Amino acid sequence: MPRQITAEIAANVLRVDVTAGQQVDADQRLLTLESMKMEIPIVADAAGRVVTVGVEAGDTVLEGDLLVLLE
């Protein structure tokens, strides 16, 4: 069952470190958000494959927006 990784706060996407189809390990960095001059790493909660990356560097996200879909 796919797992959605969503934004917990409104932020800017600083860097995206994965692509669709890529295998990731638990605790691997998927992307980095920036909010109020703080960098917030977003990591995989479990090992899996990236199905979709819903953002690009430079995007602005709101709380609840889809960042990455893992399966």
Side-chain angles (χ1 to χ4, degrees), residues 7-68:
E8 295 183 10
I9 61 171
N12 295 315
V13 179
L14 190 60
R15 182 177 63 245
V16 177
D17 298 309
V18 295
T19 59
Q22 182 177 338
Q23 285 293 128
V24 295
D25 297 321
D27 298 322
Q28 180 175 335
R29 185 184 299 230
L30 304 173
L31 55 97
T32 304
L33 299 178
E34 184 273 325
S35 181
M36 297 171 46
K37 298 185 182 178
M38 292 177 38
E39 289 188 12
I40 305 157
I42 305 300
V43 298
D45 56 354
R49 184 179 65 85
V50 176
V51 177
T52 303
V53 179
V55 294
E56 296 179 356
D59 287 352
T60 299
V61 296
L62 300 175
E63 182 178 345
D65 284 356
L66 176 67
L67 302 174
V68 177

Side-chain angles (χ1 to χ4, degrees), residues 1-4 51 69-71:
M1 176 133 199
R3 294 181 314 281
Q4 293 186 358
V51 177
L69 187 63
L70 292 177
E71 70 174 5

